[in-house]
Amino acid sequence: MDYSVQTLPPASDLSSSVLSFLDDKFGTKENLNDAPRLVSELHTQCSDLDRTLTDINRRLGASLVAYAAFSDRFDRCFNDINAKLIALGSSTRSHGSISDGRAGKGNERAEQILGEELPALAKEVARVETVRMYAETALKLDNLVGDIEDAVSSTMNKNLRKHSMTQNSEETRLLAIKTLKLTEDVLTFVTKTRPKWARLVSSVDHRVDRALAVLRPQAIADHRALLASLGWPPPLSTSISSKLDTRKSTEVPNPLFTMQGDLKHKYCENFLSLCSLQELQRRRKSRQLEGYYKEVALHQPLWAIEELVNPISLASQRHFSKWIDKLEFIFALVYKITRDYVDSMDELLQPLVDEAMLSGYSCREEWVSAMVISLSTYLAKEIFPVYLGQLDEETVTNGRSQARTSLLHLVDLMISFDKRVRSLVEHSGILLSYEEDGNLQKISCLSVFCDRPDWLDLWAEIELSDALDKIKPEMDDEKIWRMKVQGAVLVSGPEDFKSPAVSSAFLKHLSSVVERCRSLPSTSLRSRFLKLAGTPMIQNFLDCVLLRCQEAEGLTALTDDGAMIKVAKSINAAHYFESILKEWSEDVFFLEMGSDKGDQPGISVSENNEGEGPASGIFDEEIGKLERFVAEWVEKLSVVILRGFDARCRDYIKNRRQWQEKGEEAWTVSKSIIGALDYLQGKVSVLEKDLNGVDFVGVWRSLAAGVDRLVFSGILMSNVKFYDGGVERFDSDLQVLFGVFGAWCLRPEGFFPKVTEGLKLLKMGKKQLQESLVGGEKWIKDNGIRHLSVTETQKILRSRVFQN
């Protein structure tokens, strides 16, 4: 083609856009050689624009013709309605002028008009109005969707040409997004106000979906090309060389901070358009899923952040494959990359997300989440299968398996990584709690267990086995059973449980399991893990103390002081353990797990939904077992001591004649009961020294109740005769008995209610006893007898013999 040389007009006659274009294209003399190619390209673009303009004119003409046809239909409808109204008015006037003789017929006609024709006419008017609104809405949506399709087509054509102008392409995309938002506004209004127009909304959604199916991939492709021109992803060599020594870590150049000028403007505009497109998609999903559970579908990861993470993830994985045996390098590299670029998310990208009206998104959190998810995906696909394969192949020969140790080391690295990553998120002021399981899963690489609960079960099994292996030597060491826990006093009270050190050792390992459980990102996972790894540890402890008690009982039937001390220490250990578990169970962390049993092993959904009682702790069953153990063996100690006391005071109880005579001279207590009281005091003193205060109180109170029943039934209810001297003797013996228990309470007689009230009756005068014969139950209450029945009272009174 022959291009003649023409002189350019003066610079003052050119617009600023033309001057900018020429300055951009002809910055140097060498650029003049490209003038023919530029002219050809401009001619091509002009031809494209002419074709586009012709197509728009054609569509505009077709729309005008369609609109004119609709207008003609509406005119005819309104003319018909107008004619009917005029006829109705004429009919009403003509009927009004009829004579009184024909008034009845006129009234019937008027009633017909008011009752039938007017409602039908109003209905017809409403129908026509609805048709008009439907047509206008359909025409408006058709124009909007046409504009969208034209913009999408134009964007594709420009991207197909090798030397297209990116700026114009981006402007066209932004225009398409703006038109899409207008279309969505109309569709939202129609959905809320005209639910019967579902077919219209469905047809428009279908056309919009086709446009979006082209627009989104093209926008993402342009974004990737722009990132590549920025130099993203940055080289990882600096990160790798400095990851092991954080003190000498050099700053990695951040392309998001170093970009300037037109390149920065293009990136920000492209990022904004991608966010706007995602917000539009979010609005569409919200409308389409109205009435359904839509939270998961609406909150998707930021597309623009994913495009930043994906290339870095691919570049990192080339290095990961070399570090299968050095996993700490993998976690160190991922953390360093996450930390080095997290500030740019807040400073540069967050304002763009806010401008795009993407509510509920934090660029910092999305960046951290995307990096963690990429690491979790790699661990699930590449690392865990290797370690689990080694675990299957390896045969345990000498103690702990190497594969099990490696798997525990991997979990340790994951927990440590999660803690460091969480600090990056919380640094921005975002507080995470156990109620936000969704947030925790996004920033935890332990979320791999969410999709693979069988891996969680295996980890719990290994964790339990490792803990029990460490505990076993301590359980077999008698020195630890003899040592007391230093400071074994609970926060909730001043009780000293005198617990042996073995309970502290058990709790130390259980606490370790609980702390590892805290790192899991889901309440159901934490509950499942603790049931599999923590509960068996508690059961193992309970089995251990139960075995020690049974051994002591089997050897000496608990008659030996050493056996009683062994049982007492086991009770102390169990009670202390139980108290610690109760304190834990009051924490929200454990309460949440106790109320979430849907994913626990061995619990079906139907069982989980049975009843609606108060929330329970996860250790309630184990606490109940410990309580029953303590109560059972405390009762056994009381029964053993009471049985020994009974055997030693049998002669005393059977001696019926002693209540008819005075006590021995120079003795304040009957000789036959001294041995029994000494035995009782000795055994209780042993328990006082070695049993914790709470359970010791239970033991001596149980003993007091048993002795009360024994003396009451064996003496007062045995039809013996009490003379004055016998009453004095019985009173003296009881005072000594009360004195034994006086070491542990202020009013010991209060714990012997039957014997005390029986003695009170025996010490009454003859006149009072005669009054009781006619007073009955009222006399008993008036004299303060609360624990004896009328029959028992009368039997005791009849045993009293008065001497002249």
Side-chain angles (χ1 to χ4, degrees), residues 6-21:
Q6 297 181 1
T7 305
L8 291 172
S12 59
D13 295 342
L14 298 176
S15 65
S16 59
S17 60
V18 173
L19 288 174
S20 176
F21 175 77

Side-chain angles (χ1 to χ4, degrees), residues 72 132 135 184 210 279 341 557 616 721 723 738:
D72 292 341
R132 183 188 66 79
E184 184 59 29
R210 286 191 301 177
E279 171 58 19
Y341 299 107
S616 59
K721 300 298 181 180
Y723 287 74
F738 295 160

Side-chain angles (χ1 to χ4, degrees), residues 454-749:
D454 55 323
W455 292 356
L456 179 76
D457 296 351
L458 181 61
W459 171 32
E461 177 189 339
I462 296 174
E463 198 74 49
L464 173 64
S465 175
D466 181 68
L468 293 180
D469 288 344
K470 294 177 180 177
I471 291 173
K472 193 175 186 307
E474 298 173 337
M475 297 295 294
D476 296 337
D477 189 354
E478 285 296 327
K479 292 181 180 179
I480 298 181
W481 284 95
R482 289 194 292 269
M483 294 170 54
K484 290 185 179 180
V485 176
Q486 298 298 321
V489 179
L490 297 181
V491 178
S492 58
E495 297 88 355
D496 181 4
F497 286 92
K498 300 180 181 179
S499 176
V502 68
S503 59
S504 179
F506 245 103
L507 285 168
K508 174 185 174 183
H509 293 291
L510 182 60
S511 299
S512 176
V513 171
V514 170
E515 287 304 314
R516 293 166 77 76
C517 164
R518 288 180 185 271
S519 303
L520 287 166
S522 164
T523 301
S524 60
L525 289 183
R526 292 191 286 270
S527 178
R528 185 183 185 93
F529 179 82
L530 209 52
K531 279 292 183 183
L532 291 171
T535 300
M537 288 183 64
I538 302 174
Q539 185 61 48
N540 183 272
F541 171 80
L542 182 58
D543 293 341
C544 179
V545 292
L546 178 61
L547 179 62
R548 290 180 64 86
C549 290
Q550 289 174 342
E551 288 176 350
E553 184 183 31
L555 290 175
T556 64
L558 301 183
T559 57
D560 181 64
D561 287 352
M564 292 183 65
I565 292 173
K566 190 173 184 179
V567 171
K569 290 185 179 296
S570 298
I571 292 174
N572 293 343
H575 203 151
Y576 177 63
F577 206 97
E578 168 206 332
S579 302
I580 295 296
L581 291 182
K582 284 183 176 178
E583 282 198 350
W584 287 1
S585 297
E586 294 174 359
D587 190 273
V588 176
F589 173 76
F590 293 97
L591 288 174
E592 285 182 343
M593 288 190 291
S595 61
D596 183 10
K597 298 181 181 178
D599 196 29
Q600 291 182 17
I603 299 179
S604 65
V605 176
S606 59
E607 291 174 348
N608 187 39
N609 295 333
E610 286 181 0
E612 293 184 2
S616 59
I618 191 170
F619 292 135
D620 277 5
E621 184 179 347
E622 287 67 36
I623 290 174
K625 291 180 180 179
L626 289 168
E627 288 177 339
R628 289 191 292 272
F629 167 82
V630 171
E632 177 185 351
W633 285 94
V634 165
E635 182 64 24
K636 283 190 177 184
L637 289 176
S638 301
V639 169
V640 167
I641 297 175
L642 185 61
R643 189 183 300 127
F645 176 81
D646 182 24
R648 286 164 176 78
C649 69
R650 193 164 298 163
D651 293 338
Y652 172 77
I653 293 175
K654 289 183 177 181
N655 186 359
R656 303 165 64 93
R657 294 186 59 185
Q658 63 182 329
W659 311 120
Q660 301 174 14
E661 55 191 29
K662 293 184 179 181
E664 298 90 335
E665 295 182 3
W667 287 87
T668 58
V669 61
S670 300
K671 293 181 180 179
S672 56
I673 200 176
I674 292 177
L677 293 177
D678 182 63
Y679 167 83
L680 181 65
Q681 187 175 30
K683 291 295 183 180
V684 177
S685 298
V686 170
L687 291 180
E688 182 182 17
K689 179 181 177 182
D690 291 289
L691 188 62
N692 69 85
V694 175
D695 293 319
F696 173 71
V697 170
V699 168
W700 72 254
R701 285 187 175 183
S702 177
L703 276 174
V707 171
D708 183 49
R709 291 191 302 270
L710 177 65
V711 175
F712 180 78
S713 61
I715 298 177
L716 295 178
M717 292 289 104
S718 62
N719 296 317
V720 299
K721 300 298 181 180
F722 282 92
Y723 287 74
D724 293 342
V727 173
E728 294 178 6
R729 184 184 188 123
F730 187 60
D731 187 12
S732 300
D733 293 344
L734 288 185
Q735 295 306 317
V736 175
L737 175 65
F738 295 160
V740 172
F741 285 88
W744 309 301
C745 60
L746 294 177
R747 292 184 65 255
E749 59 273 12

Side-chain angles (χ1 to χ4, degrees), residues 59-72:
R59 297 188 60 181
L60 179 61
S63 299
L64 290 175
V65 170
Y67 183 74
F70 281 121
S71 298
D72 292 341

Side-chain angles (χ1 to χ4, degrees), residues 164-344:
S164 63
M165 297 178 64
T166 307
Q167 186 70 18
N168 290 338
S169 175
E170 194 61 42
E171 290 176 356
T172 306
R173 183 180 296 114
L174 289 174
L175 179 62
I177 295 173
K178 182 179 179 180
T179 310
L180 280 165
K181 290 183 177 180
L182 292 175
T183 305
E184 184 59 29
D185 290 339
V186 176
L187 291 175
T188 302
F189 177 78
V190 170
T191 302
K192 291 181 178 179
T193 59
R194 301 287 181 177
K196 292 184 178 181
W197 295 1
R199 290 188 178 181
L200 174 63
V201 174
S202 177
S203 62
V204 174
D205 274 340
H206 180 66
R207 293 178 63 184
V208 170
D209 286 339
R210 286 191 301 177
L212 287 174
V214 176
L215 191 61
R216 179 188 171 185
Q218 189 59 55
I220 291 177
D222 290 347
H223 192 75
R224 290 174 180 173
L226 190 56
L227 284 176
S229 66
L230 290 175
W232 190 273
L236 300 179
S237 57
T238 307
S239 298
I240 297 170
S241 62
S242 60
K243 69 184 183 306
L244 296 178
D245 191 352
T246 55
R247 294 172 298 179
K248 299 181 180 179
S249 176
T250 59
E251 289 293 332
V252 179
N254 188 345
L256 298 180
F257 279 149
T258 57
M259 62 180 180
Q260 295 178 351
D262 186 53
L263 193 58
K264 182 176 181 179
H265 175 74
K266 288 180 180 179
Y267 176 77
C268 292
E269 194 172 46
N270 190 274
F271 185 94
L272 182 61
S273 67
L274 199 57
C275 290
S276 299
L277 193 61
Q278 185 169 2
E279 171 58 19
L280 171 68
Q281 188 76 0
R282 191 180 178 190
R283 286 180 57 194
R284 285 173 56 77
K285 288 292 183 184
S286 178
R287 171 177 58 82
Q288 294 169 351
L289 296 175
E290 190 67 36
Y292 298 92
Y293 185 76
K294 56 186 180 181
E295 303 301 327
V296 176
L298 293 184
H299 194 93
Q300 299 294 324
L302 274 178
W303 298 343
I305 299 297
E306 282 188 324
E307 295 306 317
L308 288 173
V309 171
N310 289 339
I312 282 188
S313 177
L314 293 175
S316 300
Q317 288 180 16
R318 288 193 290 270
H319 300 282
F320 292 170
S321 59
K322 307 173 186 176
W323 298 335
I324 297 296
D325 297 328
K326 297 180 180 179
L327 296 181
E328 57 272 14
F329 289 2
I330 295 178
F331 289 95
L333 177 59
V334 174
Y335 174 75
K336 189 175 189 307
I337 294 173
T338 306
R339 182 198 61 195
D340 288 345
Y341 299 107
V342 72
D343 290 335
S344 60

Side-chain angles (χ1 to χ4, degrees), residues 412-477:
D412 288 337
L413 292 174
M414 295 169 72
I415 292 174
S416 175
F417 175 81
D418 283 353
K419 290 180 180 178
R420 300 174 71 190
V421 163
R422 191 175 301 178
S423 67
L424 290 179
V425 177
E426 293 174 346
H427 180 71
S428 64
I430 301 174
L431 299 178
L432 302 173
S433 70
Y434 289 112
E435 297 177 358
E436 300 169 337
D437 283 352
N439 284 342
L440 289 175
Q441 289 183 22
K442 291 194 301 181
I443 61 169
S444 173
C445 59
L446 289 171
S447 59
V448 296
F449 295 116
C450 294
D451 298 326
R452 294 300 303 265
D454 55 323
W455 292 356
L456 179 76
D457 296 351
L458 181 61
W459 171 32
E461 177 189 339
I462 296 174
E463 198 74 49
L464 173 64
S465 175
D466 181 68
L468 293 180
D469 288 344
K470 294 177 180 177
I471 291 173
K472 193 175 186 307
E474 298 173 337
M475 297 295 294
D476 296 337
D477 189 354

Side-chain angles (χ1 to χ4, degrees), residues 318-379:
R318 288 193 290 270
H319 300 282
F320 292 170
S321 59
K322 307 173 186 176
W323 298 335
I324 297 296
D325 297 328
K326 297 180 180 179
L327 296 181
E328 57 272 14
F329 289 2
I330 295 178
F331 289 95
L333 177 59
V334 174
Y335 174 75
K336 189 175 189 307
I337 294 173
T338 306
R339 182 198 61 195
D340 288 345
Y341 299 107
V342 72
D343 290 335
S344 60
M345 304 298 149
D346 280 340
E347 299 175 16
L348 179 64
L349 302 184
Q350 187 63 46
L352 299 177
V353 172
D354 296 338
E355 184 179 347
M357 305 297 288
L358 265 172
S359 59
Y361 280 94
S362 163
C363 283
R364 170 183 285 265
E365 185 178 348
E366 291 297 321
W367 165 257
V368 173
S369 172
M371 289 298 298
V372 171
I373 289 174
S374 68
L375 174 61
S376 300
T377 304
Y378 182 81
L379 292 175

